[in-house]
Each structure stands twice: as structure tokens, then as C-alpha cells.
Amino acid sequence: MLKMVKKFFDFCSEKNRSKFYRSVVLGVIEAMFTAMKIPAAYFAIRAVLDGKIDTPAMLTVIGLMLVSTLGKTVVNRFSSMLQTEAGYDTCAQKRIEIGEHLRYLPMGYFNDTSLGHITSVTTNTMEQVGDIATRAIMMVLQGGITTVVIGLLMFVFDVRIGLISVAGIAVFFLVNRWTNRSVARVADEKLASDRDMVGVILEYIQGIAEIRNYNIVSQNQSRVQKAIERKKNADIRAELAAIPAVGVQMLVCKLIGVAIAGASVYFYLTGTMELVHTIVMLLCSFMVFESLDAAGVYTALLRIIGKGVDLANEILDIEQMDTDGETITPANRDIHLEHVGFAYENRRIIDDVSLDIKENTTTAIVGPSGGGKTTITSLIARFWDVQEGEVTLGGRNVKDYSFDSLMENFSFVFQRVYLFEDTIANNIRFGRPDASMEEVMEAAKKAACHDFIMALPNGYETVVGEGGATLSGGEKQRIAIARAIMKDAPIIILDEATANVDPENEKELTEAIENLTKQKTIIMIAHRLKTVRNADQIVVVDKGRIVQKGRHEELMRQDGIYRNFISGRKQAVSWKIA
């Protein structure tokens, strides 16, 4: 139990840990105020038995009860506030900390599985820790402290009863240990099922268009249903595991109370305890384990808290890329890859690639799917670190740059555009948050999206759905280009930015890209002839290696992948339905 509490305290920031420590001190004071009811009862019973129920005696009893009640109420208020603030603030800070940590992880970490896991930890798990931890830590600590204080006070009245209470506390902790082990067996399954359910639902929602298009709704609904069913069963098993253990804890508390009461009566009957002490001990038998009994119910939840802390720490322990380089402004934007090699999960993706990309030139990267085109651009932008060779920008290894100063040189437009659930203006400002509305509109005009934005119900203040769900593919692409124009980085990476654009939007999108790429270094992954043939150099990548390199005319004179690629495209374009 205390191990789990310590784990949570270590999870907190120093500021929040200090709040918890102060609440513990206040808890001791609160327990003392609670224990004042015992001397109040003693004086009241003594006065009755001695037949001296006078004003001073009554005022003493009433005064002790008032001090006990008011003191406990006031101290409990401050203690609860400290614990609540510390608990919720800890979880809020950890969400931010995880978000910051993820910024500098290799892009290879992010896939459908990891996104479901991250989403589950930062939402459900941290929500559980925030809600449960504050209440459980407060109840467990306060229950333990109150029991100890009352138990010590019982020693003042009778050492024998005090020893019985100590023995009872020891038995309680033994049973509590069994409780924690019972819950531990199902805690992992409970959290794993929660993570898997979030991942499956997230994948289902993100892929709903494809699921409908291919009429595989029933299969995917079945996966979602199974994940929800597994989560339900895991929650039920967790409850069934905790209920008997908690029940035994409660029974132990009651039986120890009975033992204290029975021993007190026995000592009185044998003449070794005064009647007033016997009556007070009978009252204490109800009080001493009352708080511990309530705390015992929450100790079963401490294991869940501990597992939640472990899951958050697992993400925070993932090794980041070394991003603590220098803030560098390169003399030029020449890019050079020297014998670069890269593997992911024991699969070699890039093999001995060397490439020069001069400043203010356009380089098109083409080749079969899965050949390594996107990986090369990811290595240039340092989304991943090369494992062999080096990548330089302006003559300096990209690892020499701090990550933020390196990113200042790049803008990206990907095939899959993600827009945030915010206004269109703020989505465009993402490239430069301090931009004025005039600058936002200017970027939108250059990206050929001003007209369709103005046609929306609230213009630039229209809130788009998460991921840009309320906009078409072409509209999202143009907003992404406006965002890149706003950033005005010297190097533009286009990863099949026009691959899925319908013909109605192609003209506007082509115009937007032309405005984006003026006087820039362009690296494009493309499959359309019109976006490739005018490039300063075309790089053909296959199976992780550069197999051809040159201008369009040169490569068309060579027998190889590029000429076959272009011929195939021309043939596809010439196809007609008879």
C-alpha cells in the first residue's frame, strides 16, 4: 500500500509532491482533532459516574467536542484542497510532458498501435489516475493516520488494549497485501483492454470512409464489439477480484473491534480495568478501525493507480532523438546525403544512398511503392536518424542542429493532411501563430483557397472538424499549402501532395504549389508526369537504393524504371472506354 503511494508521489512534480506532503501533515493534525472526541467522552462518562455533572464539566466536554469538530472541518478543507490540486495538476502536467516528449521521438514509433496506446494513456489512464488517485491517496493516508493516532491514544488508557489495536493493524496490512495481489492479477488486463479498445475505435473512426467503400462494416464492427466486450469483461473481473478481498478487510476490521470490546469487558469483569476506561475503550473499538475500514476499500484502487503511473512512465522512458544541438542558421540550403543507410525493425529500407540537392533547385523522387522515397525525405528532415553515413544541410550534419532550428528550414505538404479542430484561420496560422488576419488571407489567396473559405458560413472563423473532416481532400491540401506559405521556410518537401486530388481541384492546387515553391529548394515525391518532367533532377529509388538519376530527357534515353514508369503513365492516360 505504502509502496503504491510512494510511486505516485515520485510521479508528481516537486511542487505537487510538496502539496501532498503538506496534506499529510494536515492529516496528522486532523487525526488529532478526531481523537479529541475520546477525552471528551472520557470526561463526560467520568462526570456521570462520579455524579458531578456541573457547569465546568459540561463546558469542558462541549469545548472539546467543538474544538474537535471545527478543527477537523477546517483542516480537512485545506488538506482536501491541497490533495485535489496536486492530483489533478499532476495528471495535467503529465499529459503536457508526454506531448512534449513525443515531439522528439523517431517517427518510426508512431503507428496505429502506438497511437491507440498513447491516446488511451493520455486520456483514460490519466483521467483514472486524476480521479482515483486524489480520492484514494486521501482516504488511504487519512485512514491510516487516524487509526495510528487513535491507537496510540488507546495506549494512554490501557497498554493491553493498545497492543490489541497494534496487532489488529498488523493483521489488516497482511490482508491488505493479499487484496493488492488479487487486484494485481487483473489490473494489467484491465488497462490493456482499455488501451486496445481505444486503439480499435480510433482506427475504426479514422478509416470509416474506406470501411464503407469496401463494404466491410460488419467485420470492423465485430472487431470494435470484441474490444468493447473484452473491456467489459476485464472490468467485471477486476471488480470480482476486489470485492472478496475488500470484504475480508472489512470483516477483519469489525472482528478486531469486537476483540477490543470483548477484551475491555473481560478486563473490567476481572477487576483490572476501571468502568470509565472500559466504556471509553468500547467507544474506541468502534472508532479505531472506522477510518481504516474506509481506507481499505480504496487500497484496491492503488494498484490501478500504480499501473497507470507505469504506463505513463513507459512512454516518457522511450529514448528520444538527441535534439540538443546548436541553434544554427546555415550559410546555404544545400543538402547532401553521404552513404546513408537506415533500417527499421531489422528491415533494411535505405542502403548506401548518396545524393546532392542544391539550393533553390527542384528534386523529384520517383519509384515503386515501398522503395524508400518517403524514408529519404524523413531522413533529410531528421524525422529519423540515419544509422550509417550522414545527412548535411549547409555543410553541417543535421544532428548538429537543435531540432527546432532545423525545422525552421522545412515546410511539409503531405498526401494525408491533418487539420486541427479549430478555425480555418488558426489552422493556417499554425505555420506562424502570431500572424495577422491580413497575412492569413494573403497566404490563403496564394494557396488558391480564399474563395472557397469566404463561401463557408463563417469564412475564416469556420471551425473545421477534427482532421479536417468537413472539407474535401483538395480543400484540405490547399489549406495545408497556405500553412506552408505562412511559414515561408526555404525548403519545401511535397510528399505526393497531388496524388488524390480530383480533376476539379487540380488546377487550383497546381497554382497553389507554384506560389508555395517560388525561389525555394523543392523535394517532391510524385507520380504525375507534369510534376516531374521539369525538375532539375529526378531521382529514381528502388529497394532502398538510387538506381537512376538525371533530368527527364536523360532518363528517357535510358532503359530502366523511369522510362517504363513514364510509358505506363502515358498509356494509362490514353486509355478510353469504347
Side-chain angles (χ1 to χ4, degrees):
M1 181 172 75
L2 294 178
K3 184 179 178 182
M4 290 296 106
V5 173
K6 182 181 182 302
K7 178 184 283 190
F8 180 73
F9 281 5
D10 291 342
F11 186 64
C12 300
S13 66
E14 187 174 343
K15 175 185 174 183
N16 288 322
R17 198 179 308 128
S18 174
K19 288 183 178 181
F20 274 116
Y21 290 156
R22 278 183 279 157
S23 75
V24 171
V25 173
L26 290 175
V28 174
I29 298 171
E30 182 183 346
M32 290 178 177
F33 280 120
T34 301
M36 286 179 69
K37 294 176 182 178
I38 296 173
Y42 172 79
F43 285 119
I45 296 167
R46 172 66 73 182
V48 171
L49 293 177
D50 293 345
K52 297 179 180 179
I53 308 176
D54 52 15
T55 302
M58 296 306 297
L59 288 176
T60 300
V61 172
I62 292 170
L64 286 172
M65 291 300 292
L66 279 175
V67 171
S68 174
T69 303
L70 293 176
K72 179 181 178 180
T73 302
V74 172
V75 173
N76 178 265
R77 188 259 182 193
F78 286 105
S79 177
S80 298
M81 285 300 297
L82 283 171
Q83 291 182 1
T84 302
E85 288 174 5
Y88 284 109
D89 190 50
T90 291
C91 295
Q93 286 183 3
K94 286 300 174 181
R95 285 188 176 107
I96 295 170
E97 190 177 337
I98 289 171
E100 287 297 311
H101 187 80
L102 294 174
R103 288 180 60 196
Y104 302 114
L105 293 184
M107 289 297 289
Y109 171 75
F110 299 98
N111 52 49
D112 290 340
T113 302
S114 67
L115 289 176
H117 176 60
I118 293 166
T119 303
S120 176
V121 171
T122 54
T123 54
N124 292 9
T125 303
M126 285 297 98
E127 188 72 22
Q128 286 178 359
V129 171
D131 283 340
I132 297 173
T134 302
R135 191 177 301 111
I137 297 291
M138 181 168 58
M139 293 298 294
V140 169
L141 286 178
Q142 193 57 50
I145 291 169
T146 302
T147 300
V148 168
V149 170
I150 295 176
L152 290 173
L153 189 59
M154 292 170 74
F155 271 97
V156 175
F157 286 93
D158 193 288
V159 173
R160 296 168 298 178
I161 299 299
L163 290 173
I164 293 174
S165 69
V166 170
I169 293 172
V171 172
F172 173 85
F173 277 106
L174 286 174
V175 175
N176 178 259
R177 195 172 177 185
W178 171 64
T179 301
N180 286 334
R181 286 178 177 173
S182 300
V183 175
R185 288 194 291 268
V186 294
D188 287 337
E189 170 64 15
K190 175 180 169 62
L191 291 171
S193 65
D194 185 60
R195 178 190 64 219
D196 292 345
M197 182 186 71
V198 172
V200 169
I201 291 174
L202 193 65
E203 182 182 355
Y204 179 83
I205 293 171
Q206 290 176 336
I208 191 68
E210 286 77 8
I211 290 170
R212 282 182 168 179
N213 287 341
Y214 289 95
N215 195 26
I216 52 175
V217 174
S218 59
Q219 296 96 309
N220 281 272
Q221 280 183 338
S222 175
R223 284 187 64 212
V224 172
Q225 186 62 40
K226 285 179 181 177
I228 294 172
E229 191 71 17
R230 181 190 172 197
K231 165 67 174 167
K232 181 194 76 174
N233 292 334
D235 286 344
I236 291 173
R237 281 194 294 272
E239 291 296 327
L240 292 177
I243 288 171
V246 171
V248 172
Q249 279 184 172
M250 295 173 68
L251 180 62
V252 166
C253 290
K254 300 295 188 290
L255 289 177
I256 295 168
V258 171
I260 291 172
S264 299
V265 172
Y266 173 78
F267 294 146
Y268 171 71
L269 293 176
T270 58
T272 58
M273 182 182 286
E274 293 182 42
L275 179 58
V276 63
H277 287 185
T278 301
I279 297 173
V280 170
M281 290 302 98
L282 288 173
L283 292 174
C284 286
S285 69
F286 291 99
M287 290 178 60
V288 66
F289 288 107
E290 180 184 8
S291 298
L292 198 60
D293 190 8
V297 176
Y298 286 92
T299 55
L301 299 175
L302 291 180
R303 180 65 62 173
I304 304 295
I305 297 168
K307 289 295 180 182
V309 168
D310 289 340
L311 287 173
N313 284 334
E314 280 175 15
I315 296 176
L316 293 171
D317 288 341
I318 298 169
E319 187 176 357
Q320 292 180 307
M321 299 168 66
D322 180 12
T323 58
D324 296 329
E326 305 172 46
T327 300
I328 300 172
T329 302
N332 58 63
R333 267 74 184 191
D334 291 346
I335 298 168
H336 177 65
L337 286 75
E338 181 72 24
H339 299 295
V340 166
F342 177 76
Y344 179 62
E345 292 184 347
N346 300 319
R347 184 167 64 92
R348 195 161 184 82
I349 298 174
I350 301 299
D351 184 16
D352 194 29
V353 166
S354 295
L355 177 64
D356 283 308
I357 300 174
K358 294 296 182 184
E359 184 177 34
N360 295 334
T361 63
T362 297
T363 297
I365 304 177
V366 300
S369 177
K373 304 184 295 295
T374 298
T375 303
I376 289 175
T377 61
S378 296
L379 294 172
I380 289 171
R382 210 190 166 198
F383 287 169
W384 293 310
D385 272 336
V386 300
Q387 293 155 347
E388 299 168 11
E390 67 171 6
V391 178
T392 63
L393 171 64
R396 297 286 300 272
N397 193 312
V398 292
K399 294 181 181 179
D400 294 340
Y401 291 73
S402 69
F403 194 75
D404 291 338
S405 69
L406 180 65
M407 286 299 100
E408 288 177 0
N409 295 282
F410 293 95
S411 283
F412 307 89
V413 180
F414 298 110
Q415 180 180 352
R416 294 178 64 181
V417 174
Y418 188 89
L419 299 181
F420 295 90
E421 190 171 2
D422 202 342
T423 65
I424 287 178
N426 285 340
N427 269 285
I428 295 173
R429 280 196 187 96
F430 199 74
R432 186 155 57 87
D434 60 346
S436 66
M437 182 54 74
E438 290 74 18
E439 291 172 312
V440 168
M441 294 176 70
E442 183 62 28
K445 289 175 182 177
K446 289 180 179 178
C449 56
H450 174 74
D451 290 342
F452 88 75
I453 292 173
M454 293 305 295
L456 294 172
N458 297 310
Y460 283 86
E461 295 305 312
T462 300
V463 176
V464 299
E466 183 180 357
T470 54
L471 300 175
S472 71
E475 290 169 343
K476 287 192 290 187
Q477 287 284 5
R478 279 179 278 164
I479 289 176
I481 290 170
R483 179 190 290 170
I485 289 173
M486 179 68 71
K487 185 177 180 182
D488 195 28
I491 301 170
I492 310 294
I493 294 180
L494 304 170
D495 189 348
E496 299 199 59
T498 62
N500 297 325
V501 177
D502 51 78
E504 292 79 5
N505 287 317
E506 185 172 5
K507 179 178 180 297
E508 289 83 359
L509 192 59
T510 301
E511 179 186 338
I513 290 175
E514 288 175 356
N515 285 323
L516 170 65
T517 57
K518 285 178 181 176
Q519 297 180 327
K520 307 282 187 184
T521 302
I522 312 302
I523 304 169
M524 64 169 70
I525 298 172
H527 68 280
R528 297 194 180 194
L529 176 59
K530 64 177 68 176
T531 58
V532 171
R533 66 182 307 154
N534 295 322
D536 296 295
Q537 70 170 337
I538 300 167
V539 178
V540 183
V541 178
D542 184 30
K543 297 177 182 177
R545 301 179 69 92
I546 294 177
V547 294
Q548 288 181 284
K549 184 164 56 178
R551 295 181 66 87
H552 172 75
E553 294 78 10
E554 300 171 36
L555 297 180
M556 287 301 292
R557 290 194 292 269
Q558 301 174 13
D559 185 20
I561 291 175
Y562 184 77
R563 191 166 71 183
N564 294 337
F565 165 75
I566 296 301
S567 299
R569 291 294 170 186
K570 285 182 177 178
Q571 184 178 9
V573 170
S574 66
W575 285 351
K576 294 181 180 179
I577 299 175

